[in-house]
Amino acid sequence: MSEEQSMRYPNGAANDGNGADGAKVALVTGANKGIGLETARLLGREGMTVLLGARDLGRGAAAERALRAEGSDAHLVSLDVTDQEGVKAAAARVEAEYGRLDVLVNNAGAALGSGSGPSTADPGELRALLDVNTVSVVAVSNTFLPLLRRSPAGRVVNVSSEVGSITAMTDPDGPFFGMSGSPAYPVSKTAVNMLTALYAKELAHTPVKVNAANPGFCATDLNGHSGGRTAEQGARVSLHLATLPDDGPSGVLWGHLASEDDPESYGVLPW
Ligand SMILES: NC(=O)c1ccc[n+]([C@@H]2O[C@H](COP(=O)([O-])OP(=O)(O)OC[C@H]3O[C@@H](n4cnc5c(N)ncnc54)[C@H](OP(=O)(O)O)[C@@H]3O)[C@@H](O)[C@H]2O)c1
């Protein structure tokens, strides 16, 4: 494994601090709980103004209160990532209040799906999950891209998963080979990985970097809290990608390496 692939978290995230007229502005979708909430917490601790995208406004308001009580400049933004008009309204608000966006973390996601493999999959479930996990990445990114382009160092983090890696899922010696169940979730994240690569290619000559995050298997509502890592550990992966320096990578899937013996091993994963 190369040095870059095996790199670990920096001790304290590298925040370029380029926001000329004040703190950087970050939007996290699905920020009312789980990895999204922890990501918002970590970005707030970095001194960023953090916008908590949430469709559940009750939980979102509770998250806003909690982060503000800790000293973060946190603001709830009503945002259902599958509601295009709502996404546009959120972007209009961010433009009116801040004029730009420095960090977008496409974190909102779900994991529904039944069946024991593709041959028993429900096409309706696949369609619904692709809308939440994949189409939303395009809808939200494209709506906020004009604001990200106004940032001197825009960063987009698409929260993906190692189970979206075709290489990892088909490696007979890897930890995911025996995984069965609905294909909807892995398929949705494979598509997020492709989108990440294509956005990075398209935006290569701009300051905007687009990367995919692998939080690792974290205990959240998404999996009935069966994961072995904490949501905060998963959020540190998004923090790392959200605060990459100007010479950092764009167009990689980076995060927890389940294949390594060291549970705190991070690096670039294969697509
Ligand atoms: N946990 C893991 O092991 C793991 C591993 C790899 C990747 N991930 C990814 O990490 C991300 C966060 O998941 P999590 O584990 O933290 O799960 P979680 O605790 O269930 O949180 C999911 C978040 O997404 C929000 N969300 C779902 N659909 C939405 C929509 N249409 N519009 C806006 N928000 C929506 C949820 O809001 P509500 O409260 O309104 O439902 C919630 O805030 C997901 O993209 C997931 O695929 C998780």
Side-chain angles (χ1 to χ4, degrees):
M1 181 173 296
S2 72
E3 195 176 81
E4 191 198 1
Q5 284 176 320
S6 64
M7 74 181 168
R8 299 171 64 111
Y9 291 123
N11 294 327
N15 185 342
D16 272 339
N18 288 337
D21 52 357
K24 287 189 172 182
V25 182
L27 169 65
V28 182
T29 68
N32 57 15
K33 64 179 183 175
I35 296 168
L37 173 57
E38 296 308 318
T39 302
R41 177 171 276 128
L42 295 178
L43 293 171
R45 282 186 195 154
E46 287 291 306
M48 294 192 199
T49 291
V50 62
L51 309 178
L52 311 172
R55 65 175 172 176
D56 182 317
L57 297 182
R59 265 203 291 271
E64 182 191 58
R65 274 195 302 278
L67 296 197
R68 285 187 179 197
E70 295 168 16
S72 283
D73 185 29
H75 304 268
L76 173 61
V77 173
S78 173
L79 187 56
D80 179 333
V81 296
T82 62
D83 169 13
Q84 186 62 46
E85 289 311 308
V87 174
K88 278 190 202 162
R93 178 180 156 193
V94 174
E95 175 164 33
E97 292 183 17
Y98 304 99
R100 69 172 202 285
L101 187 66
D102 298 291
V103 171
L104 170 63
V105 184
N106 284 311
N107 169 84
L112 68 97
S114 55
S116 54
S119 63
T120 52
D122 176 341
E125 282 181 348
L126 176 60
R127 217 171 274 128
L129 201 66
L130 285 171
D131 196 26
V132 178
N133 286 1
T134 313
V135 177
S136 70
V137 171
V138 176
V140 176
S141 299
N142 290 0
T143 308
F144 280 91
L145 203 49
L147 298 180
L148 285 158
R149 286 182 188 273
R150 292 184 195 161
S151 169
R155 302 287 179 264
V156 179
V157 181
N158 295 328
V159 181
S160 183
S161 170
E162 54 220 334
V163 304
S165 163
I166 295 177
T167 307
M169 289 289 272
T170 54
D171 174 3
D173 299 321
F176 304 107
F177 193 72
M179 199 176 146
S180 58
S182 168
Y185 185 76
V187 165
S188 72
K189 295 300 187 182
T190 304
V192 168
N193 291 346
M194 177 61 89
L195 283 169
T196 302
L198 295 178
Y199 271 110
K201 210 164 56 152
E202 185 179 339
L203 297 170
H205 301 295
T206 77
V208 181
K209 294 185 188 301
V210 186
N211 290 295
N214 175 38
F217 190 32
C218 304
T220 66
D221 287 353
L222 189 93
N223 50 37
H225 293 263
S226 57
R229 289 161 54 73
T230 64
E232 197 264 349
Q233 283 176 304
R236 277 195 250 147
V237 173
S238 292
L239 173 70
H240 174 80
L241 294 174
T243 54
L244 284 172
D246 288 345
D247 61 355
S250 186
V252 297
L253 170 61
W254 190 92
H256 184 244
L257 299 175
S259 53
E260 301 294 307
D261 291 336
D262 179 357
E264 284 298 308
S265 197
Y266 300 89
V268 175
L269 286 86
W271 291 124

mmCIF file of all heavy atoms in Angstrom, residues 54 79 94 98 138 140 144 170 173 175 229-230 236 241:
data_model
loop_
_atom_site.group_PDB
_atom_site.id
_atom_site.type_symbol
_atom_site.label_atom_id
_atom_site.label_comp_id
_atom_site.label_asym_id
_atom_site.label_seq_id
_atom_site.Cartn_x
_atom_site.Cartn_y
_atom_site.Cartn_z
ATOM 1 N N ALA A 54 -32.089 19.290 7.422
ATOM 2 C CA ALA A 54 -32.913 18.257 8.044
ATOM 3 C C ALA A 54 -34.328 18.314 7.481
ATOM 4 O O ALA A 54 -34.872 19.402 7.283
ATOM 5 C CB ALA A 54 -32.955 18.434 9.561
ATOM 6 N N LEU A 79 -34.573 20.820 4.783
ATOM 7 C CA LEU A 79 -34.037 20.237 3.553
ATOM 8 C C LEU A 79 -34.354 18.746 3.438
ATOM 9 O O LEU A 79 -33.735 17.905 4.084
ATOM 10 C CB LEU A 79 -32.515 20.441 3.512
ATOM 11 C CG LEU A 79 -31.781 20.038 2.234
ATOM 12 C CD1 LEU A 79 -32.348 20.739 1.021
ATOM 13 C CD2 LEU A 79 -30.297 20.355 2.355
ATOM 14 N N VAL A 94 -29.470 30.189 1.609
ATOM 15 C CA VAL A 94 -28.021 30.239 1.865
ATOM 16 C C VAL A 94 -27.397 31.388 1.067
ATOM 17 O O VAL A 94 -26.545 32.123 1.574
ATOM 18 C CB VAL A 94 -27.356 28.884 1.521
ATOM 19 C CG1 VAL A 94 -25.839 28.965 1.645
ATOM 20 C CG2 VAL A 94 -27.903 27.783 2.437
ATOM 21 N N TYR A 98 -25.595 34.112 3.211
ATOM 22 C CA TYR A 98 -24.133 33.934 3.265
ATOM 23 C C TYR A 98 -23.426 34.249 1.943
ATOM 24 O O TYR A 98 -22.213 34.466 1.933
ATOM 25 C CB TYR A 98 -23.780 32.499 3.700
ATOM 26 C CG TYR A 98 -24.419 32.135 5.019
ATOM 27 C CD1 TYR A 98 -25.600 31.383 5.057
ATOM 28 C CD2 TYR A 98 -23.877 32.575 6.222
ATOM 29 C CE1 TYR A 98 -26.214 31.078 6.255
ATOM 30 C CE2 TYR A 98 -24.485 32.272 7.428
ATOM 31 C CZ TYR A 98 -25.656 31.520 7.441
ATOM 32 O OH TYR A 98 -26.251 31.223 8.630
ATOM 33 N N VAL A 138 -27.045 14.517 -6.999
ATOM 34 C CA VAL A 138 -27.054 15.388 -8.182
ATOM 35 C C VAL A 138 -27.933 16.612 -7.916
ATOM 36 O O VAL A 138 -27.550 17.754 -8.202
ATOM 37 C CB VAL A 138 -27.558 14.608 -9.418
ATOM 38 C CG1 VAL A 138 -27.669 15.531 -10.625
ATOM 39 C CG2 VAL A 138 -26.639 13.434 -9.707
ATOM 40 N N VAL A 140 -28.888 18.065 -5.096
ATOM 41 C CA VAL A 140 -28.355 19.020 -4.111
ATOM 42 C C VAL A 140 -27.061 19.656 -4.634
ATOM 43 O O VAL A 140 -26.879 20.879 -4.563
ATOM 44 C CB VAL A 140 -28.134 18.325 -2.745
ATOM 45 C CG1 VAL A 140 -27.486 19.284 -1.755
ATOM 46 C CG2 VAL A 140 -29.467 17.812 -2.182
ATOM 47 N N PHE A 144 -26.490 23.705 -5.419
ATOM 48 C CA PHE A 144 -25.566 24.501 -4.598
ATOM 49 C C PHE A 144 -24.249 24.813 -5.305
ATOM 50 O O PHE A 144 -23.438 25.591 -4.777
ATOM 51 C CB PHE A 144 -25.300 23.782 -3.262
ATOM 52 C CG PHE A 144 -26.415 23.981 -2.262
ATOM 53 C CD1 PHE A 144 -27.476 23.083 -2.199
ATOM 54 C CD2 PHE A 144 -26.419 25.078 -1.415
ATOM 55 C CE1 PHE A 144 -28.518 23.273 -1.290
ATOM 56 C CE2 PHE A 144 -27.447 25.278 -0.509
ATOM 57 C CZ PHE A 144 -28.503 24.374 -0.447
ATOM 58 N N THR A 170 -16.461 -7.822 -4.650
ATOM 59 C CA THR A 170 -16.231 -9.036 -5.451
ATOM 60 C C THR A 170 -14.884 -9.688 -5.142
ATOM 61 O O THR A 170 -14.491 -10.627 -5.825
ATOM 62 C CB THR A 170 -16.305 -8.702 -6.962
ATOM 63 O OG1 THR A 170 -15.393 -7.630 -7.252
ATOM 64 C CG2 THR A 170 -17.709 -8.274 -7.366
ATOM 65 N N ASP A 173 -11.447 -12.777 -1.089
ATOM 66 C CA ASP A 173 -10.701 -12.788 0.180
ATOM 67 C C ASP A 173 -11.064 -11.590 1.066
ATOM 68 O O ASP A 173 -10.518 -11.437 2.155
ATOM 69 C CB ASP A 173 -9.188 -12.753 -0.100
ATOM 70 C CG ASP A 173 -8.758 -13.968 -0.910
ATOM 71 O OD1 ASP A 173 -9.280 -15.068 -0.637
ATOM 72 O OD2 ASP A 173 -7.939 -13.795 -1.840
ATOM 73 N N PRO A 175 -13.666 -8.808 3.233
ATOM 74 C CA PRO A 175 -14.700 -8.973 4.264
ATOM 75 C C PRO A 175 -16.140 -8.852 3.752
ATOM 76 O O PRO A 175 -17.071 -9.175 4.482
ATOM 77 C CB PRO A 175 -14.387 -7.848 5.257
ATOM 78 C CG PRO A 175 -13.564 -6.856 4.511
ATOM 79 C CD PRO A 175 -12.857 -7.589 3.421
ATOM 80 N N ARG A 229 -18.277 0.784 14.865
ATOM 81 C CA ARG A 229 -17.639 2.085 15.041
ATOM 82 C C ARG A 229 -18.675 3.096 15.524
ATOM 83 O O ARG A 229 -19.869 2.864 15.389
ATOM 84 C CB ARG A 229 -17.050 2.558 13.695
ATOM 85 C CG ARG A 229 -15.835 1.769 13.271
ATOM 86 C CD ARG A 229 -15.514 1.892 11.791
ATOM 87 N NE ARG A 229 -15.360 3.261 11.296
ATOM 88 C CZ ARG A 229 -14.329 4.065 11.546
ATOM 89 N NH1 ARG A 229 -13.337 3.631 12.304
ATOM 90 N NH2 ARG A 229 -14.264 5.283 11.030
ATOM 91 N N THR A 230 -18.206 4.191 16.064
ATOM 92 C CA THR A 230 -19.154 5.222 16.505
ATOM 93 C C THR A 230 -19.462 6.159 15.332
ATOM 94 O O THR A 230 -18.684 6.266 14.371
ATOM 95 C CB THR A 230 -18.571 6.068 17.653
ATOM 96 O OG1 THR A 230 -17.430 6.784 17.157
ATOM 97 C CG2 THR A 230 -18.162 5.189 18.825
ATOM 98 N N ARG A 236 -15.460 11.672 11.285
ATOM 99 C CA ARG A 236 -14.096 12.184 11.115
ATOM 100 C C ARG A 236 -13.607 12.000 9.684
ATOM 101 O O ARG A 236 -12.766 12.743 9.204
ATOM 102 C CB ARG A 236 -13.147 11.503 12.099
ATOM 103 C CG ARG A 236 -13.186 12.153 13.466
ATOM 104 C CD ARG A 236 -11.997 11.712 14.287
ATOM 105 N NE ARG A 236 -12.423 10.841 15.363
ATOM 106 C CZ ARG A 236 -11.725 9.829 15.855
ATOM 107 N NH1 ARG A 236 -10.563 9.516 15.335
ATOM 108 N NH2 ARG A 236 -12.204 9.112 16.839
ATOM 109 N N LEU A 241 -12.174 15.015 4.587
ATOM 110 C CA LEU A 241 -12.368 15.375 3.177
ATOM 111 C C LEU A 241 -12.912 16.794 3.027
ATOM 112 O O LEU A 241 -12.668 17.457 2.017
ATOM 113 C CB LEU A 241 -13.305 14.362 2.509
ATOM 114 C CG LEU A 241 -12.728 12.941 2.397
ATOM 115 C CD1 LEU A 241 -13.782 11.974 1.867
ATOM 116 C CD2 LEU A 241 -11.488 12.900 1.505
#
